[in-house]
Amino acid sequence: MRRNRITLQIVVLSLVVFVATSAMVVFLPSSVYEWANLKASKTKAGEFRQIIKSPTKTLEMLDVSATTLTQPGKFKIGSEKGGLEEFIILKEGKIKYNQNGQTTILNPGTVILFPSGINREVENGGKDKICYYTVKWKSVATHITDPKVKTDQPIVYDWDKLEFKKNAKGGSR
């Protein structure tokens, strides 16, 4: 009888520990990510820095990286199939971007939002290197598409076309 009770206590304790540890998900810690401390991995056309790749309390995955391209030519930006949505922020350089037959030179500060599975081939729009941040995410919630909203095209927020609003500390776009 005593032996069965000890065995049952061990089984219950083991079950509690198992449930508690399997339910723990390590979420992204609050931190400062300094450029100088990010490991740069060499690529054929430049380098890549992984900044964040982690689940969060509200996202199944948050993936933030920086890509620097030192070679001229064409390259792809945008999301791949698999449920991740994505946007890029152009940090340095200029890119030649074509959408619906219209080519535009985009300058630093420009943001492009890519729906899941949509990408574009772009070209170095100048002679300098290009550096851009990529932010990808996948929600834990089920995404229901609004049929009235066109989701087959990236949305471009061209830095040069965003209104500058002055304030006491400078301004914002």
Side-chain angles (χ1 to χ4, degrees):
M1 176 87 167
R2 187 167 193 273
R3 189 172 190 211
N4 288 342
R5 183 193 248 175
I6 292 172
T7 303
L8 183 60
Q9 287 174 340
I10 291 172
V11 168
V12 170
L13 180 61
S14 298
L15 185 58
V16 168
V17 169
F18 172 75
V19 169
T21 57
S22 64
M24 288 195 298
V25 176
V26 178
F27 292 116
L28 179 66
S30 178
S31 185
V32 174
Y33 300 91
E34 293 187 43
W35 187 263
N37 296 336
L38 298 172
K39 181 183 173 219
S41 302
K42 297 292 180 194
T43 66
K44 289 183 204 176
E47 58 189 26
F48 174 83
R49 288 177 169 84
Q50 185 70 57
I51 302 170
I52 299 167
K53 192 167 188 174
S54 173
T56 72
K57 290 183 180 181
T58 57
L59 296 173
E60 185 177 317
M61 178 55 63
L62 175 63
D63 182 345
V64 181
S65 61
T67 302
T68 303
L69 301 172
T70 56
Q71 306 296 319
K74 296 181 179 185
F75 58 97
K76 274 198 176 200
I77 56 174
S79 70
E80 303 296 328
K81 292 183 180 183
L84 292 177
E85 295 182 74
E86 175 175 330
F87 70 87
I88 69 149
I89 303 170
L90 186 57
K91 179 179 182 252
E92 292 178 58
K94 298 176 183 222
I95 59 172
K96 193 182 291 185
Y97 181 83
N98 185 320
Q99 184 160 307
N100 301 327
Q102 184 175 4
T103 301
T104 309
I105 298 291
L106 301 174
N107 291 308
T110 296
V111 175
I112 306 173
L113 174 63
F114 292 92
S116 179
I118 304 295
N119 57 56
R120 291 286 181 270
E121 185 175 83
V122 296
E123 191 173 347
N124 189 336
K127 297 176 184 169
D128 300 325
K129 70 179 179 180
I130 294 171
C131 184
Y132 61 92
Y133 294 105
T134 303
V135 180
K136 300 177 188 179
W137 68 95
K138 184 172 186 178
S139 175
V140 292
T142 303
H143 183 71
I144 300 171
T145 311
D146 183 346
K148 296 177 213 160
V149 177
K150 192 173 182 181
T151 59
D152 64 340
Q153 295 292 317
I155 301 169
V156 177
Y157 298 95
D158 187 338
W159 180 259
D160 296 333
K161 293 179 182 171
L162 295 174
E163 179 185 356
F164 180 77
K165 297 178 184 177
K166 285 187 177 185
N167 62 35
K169 296 185 180 192
S172 66
R173 283 189 160 98

